Amino acid sequence: VQLVESGGGLVQAGESLQLSCAASGFTFDDYAIGWFRQAPGKEREAVSCIANDGREFYADSVKGRFAISDGNSKRTKILRMNDLTPEDTAVYYCALDSPTTRFSCSAAWADHRVHWWGQGKQVTVSS
């Protein structure tokens, strides 16, 4: 399994960015793809997720500002991040979880439940 990320970068507060994650190298159909982020000195936290059964998850801190959608293929996901704040500054990691469990794409989706990771992309928001 490979997760190739693109996007991210440096923006000012209030601006938008998007991240892309292209997943490949697998044939199973039961999976969830999303993003975690890790800010300096903080633990990695789940940000957003979408599962093949339609479940979606957004952390409270990003609800209403971030949206996950399909890219040019079902196995490519886009995370659109709007109205960014300096608190969103972190390294964002694409994550794939298979098979899904009741914890997938939920507030209980923790990094120890993730099986595959992308390389990470830096998102920096200046004030």
Side-chain angles (χ1 to χ4, degrees):
V1 175
Q2 285 190 318
L3 302 176
V4 178
E5 299 183 63
S6 61
L10 170 64
V11 295
Q12 293 187 330
E15 295 184 339
S16 298
L17 276 176
Q18 70 178 34
L19 297 169
S20 175
C21 179
S24 64
F26 61 95
T27 58
F28 46 78
D29 293 325
D30 179 22
Y31 59 90
I33 297 180
W35 276 267
F36 284 71
R37 69 184 180 186
Q38 188 165 23
K42 294 187 177 181
E43 294 186 353
R44 190 153 48 182
E45 62 174 354
V47 176
S48 179
C49 175
I50 187 167
N52 63 297
D53 62 5
R55 278 178 287 174
E56 287 190 23
F57 165 77
Y58 295 94
D60 288 343
S61 58
V62 307
K63 279 180 183 176
R65 300 188 298 121
F66 289 16
I68 192 169
S69 62
D70 287 341
N72 55 9
S73 76
K74 189 174 181 180
R75 293 186 177 185
T76 297
K77 303 300 180 187
I78 305 293
L79 182 67
R80 179 69 178 175
M81 304 179 289
N82 298 318
D83 193 22
L84 286 161
T85 74
E87 288 69 37
D88 296 313
T89 295
V91 178
Y92 285 69
Y93 296 90
C94 181
L96 189 147
D97 176 12
S98 178
T100 58
T101 69
R102 61 190 176 94
F103 301 107
S104 302
C105 287
S106 75
W109 197 41
D111 58 1
H112 66 270
R113 302 186 187 281
V114 173
H115 296 94
W116 295 276
W117 294 97
Q119 77 272 27
K121 282 291 182 181
Q122 178 69 46
V123 170
T124 303
V125 184
S126 63
S127 58

